Amino acid sequence: MSLTAETPTTTDQDEDAGALPDLLYSEVEEDLRASVRALLAARSPWDAVLARTESDERTDTDLWARLGTELGVLGLPVAEDDGGAGASWREVAVVAEELGRAVAAVPFLGSAVTATAVLGRLGADELLTALAGGRSTVALAVPFGRLSGTAPQATCTRTGDAVSGGVRSVADARTADVLLVPTDDGALLQVSTDQPGVTRTPVVSLDETRPLVDLVLDGASGSVLATEAADAADAVAYGTTVAAAVLASEQLGVAEWCLQSSVSYLQDRRQFGRTLASHQALRHRCADLWVQVTQARAVARYAAACAAEDSADLAVAASLAQALCSDVAVRAAEECLQLHGGIGFTWEHPVHLYLKRATSSALALGSPHAHRSRLARLVDLPAPTDEEPA
Amino acid sequence: MTAPQTPAEARRLVAAFLGDHDPAGPDALAFLQARFDAGLARPSWPEGLGGLGASSALNGPVDDAFAAAGAPDNRPHSNIIGLGMAAPTLLAFGTPEQQARWLRPLWTHEDVWCQLFSEPGAGSDLAAVATSAVRDGGDWVVNGQKVWTSLAHESRWALLLARTDPRAPKHRGLTYFVCDMDAPGVDVRPLRQLTGETEFNEVFLDGVRIPDDQRIGDVGAGWRVTQATLMNERVAIGGATPPREGGPIGTLAQHWREHPEDRTAGVHDEVLRLWVDAEALRLTSARLTQQLLAGQPGPEGSGAKLAYAQLAQRASAAELAVLGGEALRYDDWTARRPVVGDLAERTPGFRFLRAKANSIEGGTSEVLRNIIAERVLGLPGEPRTDRDTPWEDLPR
Ligand SMILES: Cc1cc2nc3c(=O)[nH]c(=O)nc-3n(C[C@H](O)[C@H](O)[C@H](O)COP(=O)(O)OP(=O)(O)OC[C@H]3O[C@@H](n4cnc5c(N)ncnc54)[C@H](O)[C@@H]3O)c2cc1C
């Protein structure tokens, strides 16, 4: 299927509309979750995450290495022949969920999801193998806010193998050793960051657990991964679509943490001689949030399954997941903050890490508004052409 | 002097004052002090206390006339608690001596004020404060811990709520004081907010001596005085009547007009909804002000603050949505004391984060809903067991 095409896909009559993929977690997935959660509990407690946001080492390279060596989760969807685990995007999504729950500062989304999907689509096996084996960290050099499922708007030019130009607000690139750079002639190049022609300027980011850089390339040497504009565009569109699908699970993890934290705080905190949880108004807020989280979970699972199966509905599932899970995660973080009162507004309490992650994730890969507009085209609910009736 | 009756009369008084006092003169403080002494600080305040006993409808026109002449102002943004809360409380409950002592330097911005109300164990349930004040000769000796105290680090004076009778039920054992923030035993420690800034503090009070002439209202009447302060706080936060597109909608509307490239149909509808809601809030606040002038305080005070918080939060979120990927960037996380100023001069990310406090500070939105339900609509409150029990016997 072509991901860049914006033609509506009406429900395919041939497909059995009732045949939804498995939306539950398998036993294997639950085991995977448990091991990731245990590693994060030991290695990435929230106060360490917070301290890191103000340190020179924004990326937790030690945790990143352990995710590769101890758990082997950096190449989950990569075929075993290519050095991966031969699993699927479903398992990747479970890892993302746990990383979201811990607001962990690792370039998982950029390297183990986006770049992995782009390289897989192009059949760039050598780099894929290095990535899956944890020997290489790769970032797609596209602004993090750029709508998923679209061809890149290249801001770099190419002369032979030399690339020049700038890319603003790139995520997960601080510790990457390879960048995937789209150029304005439609090509996609792999550029090593270990050369004088590559400058990464740290950006003060709304979410410092996933900090951005501004990238400047000045005659940096690269090697071509795709010369055909159609191939490069398709790979980037596909990679970012898969990223949008998986990001929904990360957002789910953020929302789950916020709900859990709210519920336990309301049970502990006493005002007016009783626990806050004894107020029905506050219990109802948690109940509403729980309903939203269950919806986020269903939608995120569906998106992951569509990515795993390379379903014809992937583009719809990814935009649906971004439109819904973005809002749920932000809402959950806002509720969590409000239900904590004054303490929730402080730097010393973790909720702001979740609020900033949720807010940034909502803007990443296209805002919920942009994804709703995308859905408008995908499911044939066009925008009105004339705003004002005569 | 007879009080001016109309804006035109008030403006004539300002013009006469400006004839005698050069607004561009080198000594801004002397100018402000003279303005206070002439009764032109706030015309609605009593004669001899910065005012002329005039209608509060004339305060705005007088401020505008001074501003138009380029006169120095008293930086009202950086003394909100003083002007918005301490002054009305002192005017309502202070003795003439207390009013004469504190109002002039408060209004001229010589003294900044803060509010020592909240404690770790007493937030929404403010009447549960545990900070104690014990009589010792002509003084009170105060011990306890306050928290979330905005601007304590800049303040000369504080409004303090303390417990003077732990054996009385909680609302009845409280007394209201003015605390000297330079007194021995006052320890101000910065607390950092999620914006990165350290706008508020925790304040430890360790054997602080407060002379009895700094008590506001009767011993045991602290809760009544506190209610007056809180009501004024809510009006101060939510009840201002800005010009059209003033307040949280302003930066959003301006960005929308100036950046056609950021416009999308989905956000457009939200921007228009916000514009309508901002206008509704503005007009509701204007009605509230008119009702207060007509001597019929309406129920909208808590409602205005509630609606303001929602509007500020939604409008700042819409700003991020309009900016899209650019909103992934922030300006500065370094821990620092903020320069309190105009929110419009800050980044959208800062406005988004700061607005989260609007539904917590000055009474949470949930507490305001309870006030509207119980005190405006007359609905019964939830069953309470903490009203008649001596404070010291309450579970904590
Ligand atoms: C930026 C900022 C500045 C501040 N400045 C000052 C200051 O200068 N001086 C000062 O004294 N205080 C100040 N405060 C403190 C503020 O007044 C308190 O945070 C607020 O009253 C809430 O108290 P709390 O934090 O203890 O939350 P809690 O009272 O513990 O409330 C937690 C949650 O429970 C909800 N809740 C509590 N009771 C009920 C109920 N009965 N029904 C339904 N829901 C309920 C609350 O709405 C909230 O969502 C400031 C706070 C902030 C955030």
Side-chain angles (χ1 to χ4, degrees):
Chain A
M1 75 178 228
S2 164
L3 277 152
T4 43
E6 300 257 317
T7 46
T9 56
T10 43
T11 315
D12 202 325
Q13 297 302 320
D14 303 337
E15 267 178 58
D16 180 356
L20 284 168
D22 183 1
L23 299 174
L24 305 179
Y25 299 101
S26 69
E27 218 170 292
V28 175
E29 286 168 345
E30 290 295 5
D31 288 348
L32 174 65
R33 177 200 304 289
S35 53
V36 176
R37 193 178 287 190
L39 177 69
L40 291 168
R43 295 282 158 186
S44 188
W46 74 264
D47 45 347
V49 173
L50 177 64
R52 186 176 293 287
T53 65
E54 295 194 282
S55 76
D56 291 336
E57 260 208 54
R58 294 300 157 88
T59 308
D60 191 341
T61 47
D62 175 67
L63 177 64
W64 184 236
R66 284 172 195 274
L67 286 167
T69 54
E70 283 178 25
L71 300 186
V73 295
L74 300 187
L76 284 173
V78 177
E80 283 175 284
D81 284 350
D82 291 327
S88 79
W89 295 114
R90 291 179 60 106
E91 289 80 4
V92 174
V94 170
V95 177
E97 205 178 306
E98 292 308 309
L99 293 172
R101 192 195 304 277
V103 284
V106 288
F108 188 82
L109 183 70
S111 189
V113 185
T114 315
T116 301
V118 171
L119 294 170
R121 188 79 160 189
L122 290 170
D125 294 343
E126 200 181 318
L127 187 51
L128 198 55
T129 303
L131 190 160
R135 293 186 302 284
S136 202
T137 302
V138 187
L140 176 66
V142 166
F144 196 36
R146 171 95 183 142
L147 180 61
S148 64
T150 52
Q153 262 176 340
T155 47
C156 294
T157 56
R158 177 166 79 100
T159 324
D161 285 343
V163 191
S164 294
V167 190
R168 210 172 144 77
S169 304
V170 181
D172 289 331
R174 279 209 192 194
T175 54
D177 44 56
V178 176
L179 302 167
L180 306 180
V181 184
T183 51
D184 63 356
D185 59 346
L188 187 70
L189 279 84
Q190 117 180 30
V191 175
S192 162
T193 56
D194 184 21
Q195 54 174 317
V198 176
T199 312
R200 287 173 282 186
T201 309
V203 169
V204 180
S205 309
L206 186 59
D207 174 12
E208 287 287 357
T209 65
R210 181 152 54 209
L212 309 175
V213 298
D214 286 341
L215 202 66
V216 175
L217 304 176
D218 182 13
S221 76
S223 58
V224 176
L225 287 166
T227 42
E228 290 297 322
D231 294 344
D234 170 73
V236 170
Y238 172 74
T240 51
T241 302
V242 170
V246 174
L247 178 59
S249 287
E250 193 197 287
Q251 291 166 320
L252 169 64
V254 167
E256 282 175 336
W257 183 92
C258 293
L259 173 58
Q260 229 162 38
S261 158
S262 304
V263 166
S264 62
Y265 188 72
L266 293 184
Q267 285 170 287
D268 285 350
R269 170 77 170 162
R270 297 180 76 91
Q271 288 284 273
F272 304 100
R274 53 198 269 199
T275 63
L276 290 179
S278 68
H279 291 286
Q280 189 182 54
L282 302 184
R283 289 203 304 279
H284 282 187
R285 296 265 285 272
C286 292
D288 282 341
L289 201 53
W290 179 85
V291 172
Q292 292 189 11
V293 168
T294 59
Q295 299 199 336
R297 190 176 296 121
V299 164
R301 278 276 90 189
Y302 180 64
C306 284
E309 294 163 13
D310 203 13
S311 157
D313 208 30
L314 173 57
V316 169
S319 281
L320 169 71
Q322 277 307 298
L324 187 105
C325 298
S326 296
D327 284 347
V328 171
V330 171
R331 185 89 211 118
E334 289 174 340
E335 286 287 82
C336 186
L337 194 165
Q338 177 68 22
L339 293 173
H340 277 77
I343 190 96
F345 194 67
T346 63
W347 188 266
E348 316 302 337
H349 188 277
V351 65
H352 71 98
L353 294 170
Y354 290 85
L355 176 67
K356 291 164 187 174
R357 173 63 74 86
T359 307
S360 308
S361 300
L363 297 164
L365 301 168
S367 69
H369 291 285
H371 282 286
R372 283 191 287 268
S373 306
R374 159 65 58 80
L375 281 173
R377 291 187 289 270
L378 290 172
V379 304
D380 192 23
L381 289 169
T385 43
D386 191 14
E387 294 261 319
E388 203 160 346
Chain B
M1 193 189 298
T2 51
Q5 301 296 321
T6 65
E9 280 175 42
R11 277 192 288 270
R12 271 198 292 281
L13 292 176
V14 174
F17 178 87
L18 289 169
D20 297 337
H21 301 84
D22 180 6
D27 192 345
L29 176 58
F31 181 90
L32 290 169
Q33 287 168 335
R35 179 176 159 187
F36 186 94
D37 296 338
L40 292 170
R42 280 189 83 67
S44 63
W45 286 0
E47 220 174 321
L49 289 171
L52 298 167
S55 154
S56 55
L58 299 182
N59 294 339
V62 165
D63 278 343
D64 293 346
F66 276 103
D73 76 4
N74 58 345
R75 289 177 286 147
H77 280 309
S78 50
N79 198 9
I80 291 177
I81 294 170
L83 291 164
M85 293 147 66
T89 305
L90 291 172
L91 283 166
F93 292 97
T95 62
E97 293 74 24
Q98 290 171 333
Q99 293 168 345
R101 176 179 181 190
W102 283 312
L103 281 171
R104 187 181 191 246
L106 182 161
W107 185 83
T108 58
H109 204 286
E110 286 160 89
D111 293 345
V112 172
W113 287 62
C114 67
Q115 179 194 28
L116 290 170
F117 281 11
S118 304
E119 296 179 6
S124 297
D125 185 12
L126 182 59
V129 294
T131 293
S132 68
V134 176
R135 188 121 206 191
D136 181 26
D139 290 348
W140 295 83
V141 179
V142 179
N143 284 288
Q145 182 196 348
K146 297 290 179 176
V147 75
W148 324 129
T149 319
S150 306
L151 300 178
H153 54 289
E154 289 181 1
S155 293
R156 178 68 175 80
W157 301 102
L159 306 172
L160 170 71
L161 184 61
R163 185 158 309 277
T164 43
D165 184 0
R167 283 165 299 279
K170 64 185 198 179
H171 295 90
R172 279 175 254 156
L174 298 165
T175 304
Y176 197 107
F177 299 94
V178 169
C179 176
D180 181 349
M181 292 298 285
D182 294 338
V186 177
D187 181 12
V188 177
R189 301 185 198 163
L191 283 177
R192 195 169 173 195
Q193 300 179 340
L194 51 71
T195 57
E197 297 185 339
T198 49
E199 179 186 326
F200 54 25
N201 304 273
E202 48 187 351
V203 178
F204 293 85
L205 303 165
D206 183 9
V208 178
R209 298 193 79 86
I210 298 183
D212 190 52
D213 64 9
Q214 289 176 205
R215 171 170 49 80
I216 309 292
D218 292 336
V219 175
W223 188 243
R224 221 182 119 218
V225 186
T226 299
Q227 288 305 306
T229 307
L230 292 180
M231 254 134 65
N232 278 291
E233 176 169 24
R234 281 151 203 168
V235 175
I237 294 178
T241 309
R244 177 174 282 176
E245 290 189 15
I249 188 72
T251 44
L252 175 64
Q254 191 186 349
H255 186 93
W256 189 265
R257 291 196 184 96
E258 289 170 5
H259 294 275
E261 74 280 7
D262 286 345
R263 293 177 197 158
T264 61
V267 189
H268 190 210
D269 190 51
E270 175 68 1
V271 171
L272 291 168
R273 278 172 194 273
L274 284 164
W275 195 93
V276 169
D277 289 349
E279 203 55 12
L281 173 60
R282 195 174 78 87
L283 296 172
T284 310
S285 300
R287 276 199 81 232
L288 176 63
T289 309
Q290 290 169 6
Q291 277 172 329
L292 288 172
L293 291 181
Q296 329 154 357
E300 285 92 338
S302 290
K305 200 237 162 201
L306 188 59
Y308 174 83
Q310 287 169 344
L311 180 72
Q313 291 172 353
R314 282 175 51 217
S316 59
E319 273 195 80
L320 299 193
V322 172
L323 281 173
E326 279 304 297
L328 292 165
R329 304 164 80 98
Y330 194 68
D331 55 352
D332 189 1
W333 294 119
T334 26
R336 63 199 189 284
R337 290 298 189 182
V339 182
V340 180
D342 195 349
L343 271 177
E345 284 156 22
R346 304 298 302 262
T347 57
F350 179 87
R351 279 193 287 276
F352 173 77
L353 293 174
R354 185 60 184 79
K356 297 297 175 222
N358 294 154
S359 51
I360 300 172
E361 58 197 343
T364 68
S365 290
E366 290 74 24
V367 163
L368 297 181
R369 287 188 185 96
N370 283 341
I371 290 174
I372 293 170
E374 291 169 28
R375 296 201 215 145
V376 178
L377 301 175
L379 296 171
E382 296 198 22
R384 288 183 66 168
T385 54
D386 61 340
R387 278 198 174 280
D388 303 316
T389 315
W391 176 81
E392 61 185 4
D393 297 338
L394 291 173
R396 259 183 293 283

